[in-house]
Amino acid sequence: KVEDMFSLFCSSEENERQARKERKRQDRASGPHLIFAPTPFVLTRVLQQSSKMRRSAPNTSNEEVRANTTNSIPDTLLACWFHDLLSALVHCHTSHVILRSVQTDQIFIDHSGVAKLAGFYRATILSPNERDTFLNPLDFLKFKKENSYSSKYHHEDDDSTTNPYTAPELLMGSLKHTKESDIWGIGSTIAHLLLGKPIFVGKERSSLLTAIYKIVGTPSTDNYPDALKFPVIAKVKKAYKRAVKKAFEHMMKPQDYQVHENAIDLIAQMLHLDPKKRITAIDALQHDCLQNYIEHCRHADFQRRFVQDWLSLKRDLLSLSPRKGNQDKKKRSFPRKIMLEAMAVASSTVDSDDLYNMQDLFESTVASKRRKIH
């Protein structure tokens, strides 16, 4: 209770201040909480398993696996997870919630194969005056000039400057996370699922921006001219044109590109350098890619294939490293056990002192237990 925290040795002001702190703590503890159903799988683990299967594909005799080495995740699951992620994003944006950070280790897969967004500890809620207007990233710059962009600020959020799902306007110096930056993050995540690897890779801010420019184009008067006003713009030796679909065509096998052509078109609409040109989450759900998925869900054949594909992937996920690690641990402990037993036998055969002979203690303990029983 709050009254129990009052002390006769403190002034009344200190007691009141301590009581206010305790009330705030109790309010936080009894406030609203997000409760999730058990979700045993993390998307990062699924991608690792997919990468392992893709690496082993050239050495396997399974013709089905070798035929599709771009990604080992079945098409039914990919379409389902695309729909799940965008549906969750629509729910967040209609409630004016901004995710701010998109990471594969913050996306969970439950026992039914449904993808769920998590990691809302960084999420924010838009203020009422920001909900129905476009938030220009240029209005939220910390520094106006490049020489004022200090190294302290440059390294103050290292995880976002190397996160392959971070929107380019945030990398270039904007401090405001928006619905458009969420769309970029989800689009990059879907591209990762489709390719089996991140579409944008960079060790630091400038290299990550360069990787983005190579696919969505270099900032210019025709391609997001406002980008030239940002304090940080990666200097590239070559001017790149926007070529998202061409990049996918280069990174995927021809048969895979044809199968996922609608999904690639959706990703291309989500990955625009100009935030204004990015498709909204609601419009993304109306895209042909997801409408076709909803139509397929009504057919028993597609439902049967989804169940089979998910159970097969789930079985592979459950047979990953933890059991193998336990087996290796048992194998390592087995020689040690043999060595200890051999030492015990050797010590019993050698005529030595009784310093380490505890047999009499064990016998006395057993005898005392027998007396208590009787």
Side-chain angles (χ1 to χ4, degrees):
K1 296 181 180 180
V2 177
E3 291 79 5
D4 297 337
M5 301 188 63
F6 290 166
S7 174
L8 297 175
F9 300 99
C10 299
S11 64
S12 58
E13 293 181 358
E14 291 176 346
N15 282 329
E16 290 177 3
R17 185 164 55 252
Q18 192 67 26
R20 284 195 299 269
K21 288 183 179 179
E22 179 62 17
R23 290 192 187 97
K24 288 181 180 180
R25 188 193 65 79
Q26 292 179 359
D27 291 340
R28 287 195 298 269
S30 60
H33 290 75
L34 289 174
I35 300 177
F36 293 92
T39 50
F41 306 112
V42 182
L43 187 58
T44 303
R45 188 179 177 188
V46 177
L47 292 169
Q48 290 173 351
Q49 174 70 0
S50 172
S51 178
K52 184 185 297 184
M53 293 176 64
R54 191 171 61 255
R55 287 195 302 269
S56 62
N59 301 323
T60 184
S61 58
N62 191 334
E63 295 181 359
E64 184 178 355
V65 176
R66 285 187 299 174
N68 182 13
T69 57
T70 300
N71 197 336
S72 60
I73 301 177
D75 300 338
T76 53
L77 298 182
L78 287 175
C80 174
W81 293 344
F82 294 173
H83 183 269
D84 293 341
L85 294 177
L86 285 170
S87 298
L89 188 63
V90 168
H91 180 72
C92 291
H93 284 183
T94 52
S95 302
H96 313 293
V97 175
I98 305 300
L99 300 179
R100 293 186 75 245
S101 177
V102 178
Q103 299 273 11
T104 55
D105 59 356
Q106 296 170 3
I107 298 175
F108 297 155
I109 313 294
D110 66 8
H111 282 289
S112 301
V114 179
K116 299 181 178 181
L117 290 176
F120 286 92
Y121 66 97
R122 287 189 174 183
T124 57
I125 300 177
L126 293 175
S127 59
N129 60 339
E130 295 178 337
R131 294 176 180 177
D132 299 325
T133 59
F134 171 72
L135 302 177
N136 191 348
L138 283 173
D139 297 335
F140 302 93
L141 299 180
K142 185 169 184 179
F143 299 100
K144 299 296 182 182
K145 296 181 180 180
E146 188 173 0
N147 56 9
S148 300
Y149 201 80
S150 65
S151 59
K152 179 181 178 181
Y153 173 68
H154 184 82
H155 297 288
E156 70 178 6
D157 196 7
D158 288 337
D159 58 342
S160 66
T161 58
T162 57
N163 183 356
Y165 317 109
T166 302
E169 62 268 19
L170 299 175
L171 294 173
M172 290 188 286
S174 177
L175 301 180
K176 188 67 173 180
H177 292 77
T178 61
K179 295 179 180 179
E180 291 76 19
S181 62
D182 281 353
I183 285 289
W184 178 281
I186 295 295
S188 301
T189 304
I190 293 176
H192 188 171
L193 281 169
L194 200 59
L195 296 172
K197 60 182 179 181
I199 187 173
F200 308 115
V201 179
K203 294 183 179 180
E204 35 83 26
R205 185 193 302 265
S206 60
S207 61
L208 185 56
L209 276 173
T210 302
I212 291 174
Y213 294 160
K214 288 181 179 180
I215 295 178
V216 301
T218 308
S220 63
T221 54
D222 298 328
N223 186 24
Y224 194 29
D226 287 347
L228 301 174
K229 302 176 183 178
F230 280 96
V232 176
I233 300 178
K235 297 180 180 180
V236 292
K237 298 180 181 179
K238 179 181 177 181
Y240 297 97
K241 294 182 179 180
R242 174 177 169 81
V244 179
K245 294 183 179 180
K246 189 175 180 180
F248 275 93
E249 190 175 1
H250 176 74
M251 289 186 281
M252 300 179 70
K253 284 194 168 185
Q255 61 268 28
D256 297 333
Y257 182 84
Q258 293 176 1
V259 171
H260 300 291
E261 195 167 0
N262 281 337
I264 294 170
D265 181 72
L266 173 60
I267 295 172
Q269 296 186 43
M270 299 175 76
L271 300 181
H272 273 281
L273 190 63
D274 189 347
K276 282 185 178 180
K277 295 182 179 180
R278 293 172 199 161
I279 191 173
T280 63
I282 295 177
D283 291 339
L285 277 181
Q286 303 302 320
H287 192 273
D288 291 342
C289 171
L290 298 179
Q291 290 300 311
N292 292 338
Y293 162 74
I294 295 173
E295 181 64 28
H296 291 158
C297 286
R298 298 189 177 98
H299 296 85
D301 180 60
F302 183 86
Q303 297 173 7
R304 193 180 306 109
R305 284 197 298 118
F306 174 84
V307 172
Q308 293 174 352
D309 293 339
W310 167 242
L311 291 179
S312 176
L313 180 60
K314 182 179 178 180
R315 184 171 58 252
D316 293 337
L317 292 173
L318 291 174
S319 63
L320 273 179
S321 56
R323 290 183 180 178
K324 185 178 180 182
N326 292 337
Q327 292 175 358
D328 293 341
K329 187 176 181 181
K330 290 180 180 178
K331 289 180 180 179
R332 289 194 299 267
S333 62
F334 186 69
R336 177 177 173 83
K337 184 178 180 181
I338 294 176
M339 181 184 69
L340 293 175
E341 290 178 352
M343 291 175 62
V345 172
S347 62
S348 62
T349 57
V350 177
D351 188 13
S352 59
D353 57 17
D354 295 334
L355 179 61
Y356 299 104
N357 187 2
M358 300 183 182
Q359 189 65 26
D360 55 342
L361 294 179
F362 295 144
E363 292 176 353
S364 61
T365 304
V366 173
S368 62
K369 288 183 178 180
R370 289 176 179 173
R371 284 196 298 272
K372 288 181 180 179
I373 293 174
H374 292 296

